[in-house]
Amino acid sequence: MKIQIQGFTMMLMLLILSACIHIKDEGPGVGLTLIPPSPVSDHITLDIRAGLVNGSDKELKQITVTFYLDKKDKKSVLYQHNTTLDAYGQSVVKFDWPTAGQAGKRRIILEVTTGKKSYITEKEIEIIPSGTRSIQKIDGAFLGFYHWSEEEGKYWNKELKTMTDAQWGEMMEAQNKLGMNIIVMQEVFRNPTAYAHLHNIEQEGYHGVPFYRSGLYPGKVDIAAEDPIEAVLNTADKNGMHVFVGIGMYAWFDFSKGSLDWHKKVATEIWEKYGHHPSFYGWYISEEQDGGLGTDEDKENIVIFFREFKKHIRQYTPDKPVMLATNSHNLRGAETTYRELLKYLDILCPFGFQRMPSTDLSGKEAANKLQELCDKAGAHLWMDMEMFNFAEENALVPKSFEEIINDLEQFRNFEKIICYQYPGLLNSPDMSIKPGGSVTVKLYEDYLNYYQSLRK
């Protein structure tokens, strides 16, 4: 039997605590998150967070949270904060740390003390000398288990459909060899034909299909892998990778109340099933949006959505970031909404800078405008870099290596660059299945040589 506690079940609370570090009786669950994760440039500000969750029915008083650099002594203290935790409460303690002058392999050590008990965890961070926020490499990749568009996925969807759990793990091992240690799952449900303002989900019910065995909705997307989410997280755990789990798809560009309620339910189930994985780094909202943020109603909805979703997931992952990908077009006139939205959105990861409309800002102008908005809000700006060109009938094919290097050189203000996408556009020659064929292998080998040259 499950005992209800402040909107959570006892089972959920136990799962929360099991995912945290150094749990003891009547002590807090402790999480440590660095945004962005290693490696980073020496031209950024690191966002360092401690997430605290109290799984007991007793208030925890006199909690001291201390962050150290490299070793645990008084001279190495970076930041210290005293706090309390209500029964079944949560809190996040965070501070900003400029990386300038800190090049090398460093350790961020977190110590949480309450009474005579102490809880310690740490993370390594490699800080690379660079003239810009970028370290001139691709830091991670989006991952779609099956592409939403048969036209765009023409050259690889059929093969993705046949991939087993083991082959998804194999693919993530290959991605990690490229130094792409961030994985962004595009979605955990498939509902490709639903768009904001053009569906009747609230009246007719949600008919999307999960990529995993869900207790909320029946069925499973027709792919060979039994649980590709688990397969990816397992591989990421072994390799020290960082996974954003994509909560969606409800309906494209839909941030209505119905969408919000759906996302809360799915996020809770996802955390119950997969929250124990050390590689579970953050939350990605799959619905995307135009850079202008839509109609006046859409603008109001998107701010409410992220305010309330952030409040919801903070109850069990107070330190983990939330990310959204928008396109970079039509930013003029949306600045006021961005200022509100970025209060509740940790990472904005826009795309489309290389194909701006002729009447719009240039790609660099759009990047600079978004950087200014993010800086003022204390949010992070990453780049969703398109690895593809459109071929016949809108099918996606890999860009050339030269085009990718040109993009890396042109856009240097992004603290992290996430490419779209890995499956179907990149393949190690050692893969047992190579969705997209020989052109994807050539791009993999060319980029691997480039990445290895950076490490010398």
Side-chain angles (χ1 to χ4, degrees), residues 82-113:
N82 295 319
T83 188
T84 61
L85 274 178
D86 294 337
Y88 304 113
Q90 56 74 34
S91 179
V92 60
V93 177
K94 57 180 287 188
F95 73 103
D96 293 333
W97 182 60
T99 58
Q102 301 293 339
K105 292 185 178 181
R106 318 306 298 264
R107 286 189 304 150
I108 305 297
I109 303 168
L110 168 64
E111 180 180 40
V112 178
T113 59

Side-chain angles (χ1 to χ4, degrees), residues 43-291:
H43 275 62
I44 68 156
T45 297
L46 195 64
D47 178 350
I48 303 177
R49 302 180 178 188
L52 309 176
V53 177
N54 183 3
S56 78
D57 60 358
K58 297 179 181 180
E59 180 186 13
L60 297 179
K61 299 180 180 180
Q62 297 179 330
I63 299 173
T64 301
V65 179
T66 309
F67 298 89
Y68 303 90
L69 179 64
D70 295 332
K71 56 185 178 180
K72 197 171 76 69
D73 60 32
K74 290 183 179 180
K75 292 182 179 180
S76 302
V77 173
L78 290 175
Y79 183 75
Q80 189 171 76
H81 180 77
N82 295 319
T83 188
T84 61
L85 274 178
D86 294 337
Y88 304 113
Q90 56 74 34
S91 179
V92 60
V93 177
K94 57 180 287 188
F95 73 103
D96 293 333
W97 182 60
T99 58
Q102 301 293 339
K105 292 185 178 181
R106 318 306 298 264
R107 286 189 304 150
I108 305 297
I109 303 168
L110 168 64
E111 180 180 40
V112 178
T113 59
T114 174
K116 296 181 180 180
K117 296 179 180 178
S118 181
Y119 311 86
I120 297 175
T121 186
E122 64 180 64
K123 290 190 182 296
E124 290 189 354
I125 185 83
E126 183 180 6
I127 300 170
I128 296 175
S130 173
T132 61
R133 297 185 195 214
S134 168
I135 55 174
Q136 297 272 224
K137 78 176 190 71
I138 301 172
D139 299 284
F142 281 83
L143 181 155
F145 296 116
Y146 189 79
H147 195 63
W148 64 273
S149 165
E150 294 292 354
E151 285 185 351
E152 291 189 4
K154 175 181 177 180
Y155 296 121
W156 27 273
N157 247 2
K158 288 182 181 179
E159 290 175 288
L160 291 185
K161 192 174 184 178
T162 69
M163 285 180 60
T164 63
D165 293 54
Q167 286 170 322
W168 282 110
E170 184 185 9
M171 181 176 280
M172 294 305 97
E173 292 274 6
Q175 176 181 318
N176 190 53
K177 289 178 181 177
L178 295 179
M180 300 182 189
N181 66 0
I182 299 172
I183 301 166
V184 184
M185 293 183 189
Q186 186 168 4
E187 58 185 355
V188 296
F189 274 77
R190 171 53 47 86
N191 197 23
T193 60
Y195 286 79
H197 312 300
L198 298 174
H199 64 76
N200 295 306
I201 295 174
E202 285 80 1
Q203 292 75 34
E204 299 175 359
Y206 178 76
H207 299 298
V209 185
F211 281 98
Y212 65 101
R213 299 294 179 184
S214 170
L216 296 171
Y217 300 96
K220 179 179 161 293
V221 177
D222 183 21
I223 58 175
E226 175 60 24
D227 192 344
I229 299 171
E230 181 71 19
V232 167
L233 287 164
N234 275 332
T235 303
D237 290 346
K238 289 187 292 183
N239 289 289
M241 301 173 81
H242 314 280
V243 181
F244 287 87
V245 180
I247 306 303
M249 179 65 68
Y250 178 78
W252 287 106
F253 321 131
D254 192 323
F255 298 94
S256 64
K257 184 180 184 305
S259 179
L260 172 63
D261 292 342
W262 182 90
H263 280 76
K264 287 180 180 179
K265 288 191 299 184
V266 173
T268 297
E269 179 176 72
I270 288 292
W271 183 250
E272 288 178 346
K273 288 179 69 69
Y274 304 109
H276 61 282
H277 284 281
S279 60
F280 195 131
Y281 178 81
W283 304 90
Y284 173 67
I285 300 301
S286 310
E287 274 66 16
E288 300 187 355
Q289 182 56 287
D290 175 70

Side-chain angles (χ1 to χ4, degrees), residues 313-342:
I313 57 94
R314 273 194 62 171
Q315 295 174 90
Y316 40 91
T317 59
D319 53 313
K320 294 190 184 301
V322 178
M323 184 167 78
L324 172 71
T326 59
N327 76 25
S328 51
H329 308 167
N330 307 312
L331 299 176
R332 296 187 187 102
E335 292 91 345
T336 299
T337 305
Y338 275 105
R339 292 186 188 101
E340 285 299 307
L341 171 63
L342 292 169

